[in-house]
Structures are given as structure tokens and as C-alpha cells.
Amino acid sequence: MGSARSDHGTHGKVVTSELEEFRKAKDDFFRTHPQSPLTPRQRADFAGLAYFPEEPALRIEGTLDTDVDRDEPVLMQTTGGGTQEYRRAGRVRLSVDGHEAEITLYQSELQHDLFVPFRDTTSGRESYGAGRYLEVERPGADGRVIVDFNYAYNPYCAYNARWSCPLPPGENWLQVPVLAGERSFTGQAV
């Protein structure tokens, strides 16, 4: 998860960051893959997803505080009216633009990585109103994790109402703007 920006390297070649490569591959998937959440009509007009510029300060390395109720199930409501069950893996304290915040990371039996559904003050304005997601690698022996908001993404229900997506619980409604990751989808969600 490098934070290098595009720049002209030696001999005039363009150097591309890992994030830019990730975004390009995601746009290609959305445009061409049969499992894309976009409908055929949306794909015909698809020019790529909208992203905030890469923000190195929003790649946060911190210690996963596991002093949380890890056994209590967390039932997240979904956009389709159901629920999905998770458990708290821990919390990470972070600073966003000089404001202190805390975010909870969740685990499920279906995912290897930790799941971070969140809303922030951009939700419903610059980013998808129901919130965005992140995946975070489980901590190593040192208990450290990297929460890189540059990889924040919209759930599939932002593109297509046929998808049912978990809604971020109140404990992950951040009172700060996270100006990183995917922005609102400008195509029509159907």
C-alpha cells in the first residue's frame, strides 16, 4: 500500500503508485467483468469511478485495541432489510485532520481480513450516503494494523439496488471528513 504518487521517472517514463494501479484494475473490473455490480446499461456509459486524490495522511498505522466485547455478536442491518452478524476484532484510535477519532474493526467467519464499515461527514455529500467500507489485514504479533482510507470503497448497493449491503453501525459514524477513497457514484444506481 505505497503512497507514491505518479511522477515522471528516469527517461520520461511515468511511475504509477500502487493505489493508482488498484484503481485502474477496479475500473476495468467494473467495466468488463460479468460479476460487476453495474448493469449492462451502466457499463455502456461507464468512464470510471470517482476518487478523492491520494492522501498519505489517511494511511494510518495503529495498534488494534482488543479491549472490546469480542464475544457479543454485532448484527448489522442491511440495505435489503436483513441483518449480517459480525464480532468486534478491536478498535484503532486515529487522527483525521487534527481531530481525534476511533474506529471499530469487525470480523466474520466468511472473511479473512477485518471489515471496517464506516460513515463520515462526507457521507451523502461527496461520498455514498449509506457509508463506505475498508478491508484491513489482521494484525501481526505486534498487534499493529494499517487502516488506509485511500482504499475506502462504496458497497455494491451504491451501484445497483439489487445488492444488499451491511450498514455501518453507529459506533463507526465518524464526526470527521474522510477525504480519501471512492467518491459518490455519478452513474444512475438501478
Side-chain angles (χ1 to χ4, degrees), residues 19-156:
L19 179 64
E20 289 169 322
E21 289 293 326
F22 175 84
R23 290 175 173 181
K24 181 182 180 307
K26 184 164 187 176
D27 284 349
D28 289 344
F29 173 86
F30 270 53
R31 185 179 299 106
T32 63
H33 200 279
Q35 293 180 332
S36 167
L38 300 180
T39 65
R41 193 176 104 220
Q42 289 172 311
R43 280 192 289 225
D45 298 329
F46 183 70
L49 297 171
Y51 299 97
F52 288 101
E54 185 171 6
E55 180 49 68
L58 289 173
R59 181 184 186 274
I60 297 159
E61 185 174 347
T63 301
L64 185 65
D65 178 1
T66 57
D67 190 20
V68 296
D69 188 347
R70 295 167 56 119
D71 295 324
E72 175 189 351
V74 177
L75 295 177
M76 292 185 199
Q77 297 296 313
T78 67
T79 56
T83 60
Q84 289 185 8
E85 184 175 317
Y86 293 86
R87 301 228 187 273
R88 289 178 187 89
R91 291 189 179 100
V92 173
R93 290 180 199 354
L94 46 105
S95 179
V96 177
D97 210 18
H99 300 280
E100 297 303 310
E102 186 175 79
I103 196 153
T104 301
L105 287 68
Y106 300 92
Q107 57 192 356
S108 80
E109 294 178 6
L110 303 175
Q111 293 174 290
H112 173 72
D113 288 340
L114 301 178
F115 178 54
V116 185
F118 72 96
R119 289 184 59 164
D120 65 285
T121 60
T122 70
S123 297
R125 295 182 180 95
E126 296 106 320
S127 67
Y128 180 53
R132 293 180 286 164
Y133 299 162
L134 272 175
E135 265 85 41
V136 173
E137 288 184 23
R138 291 179 183 265
D142 62 358
R144 309 278 296 165
V145 293
I146 296 173
V147 178
D148 191 343
F149 287 104
N150 291 291
Y151 288 87
Y153 63 93
N154 295 325
Y156 278 6

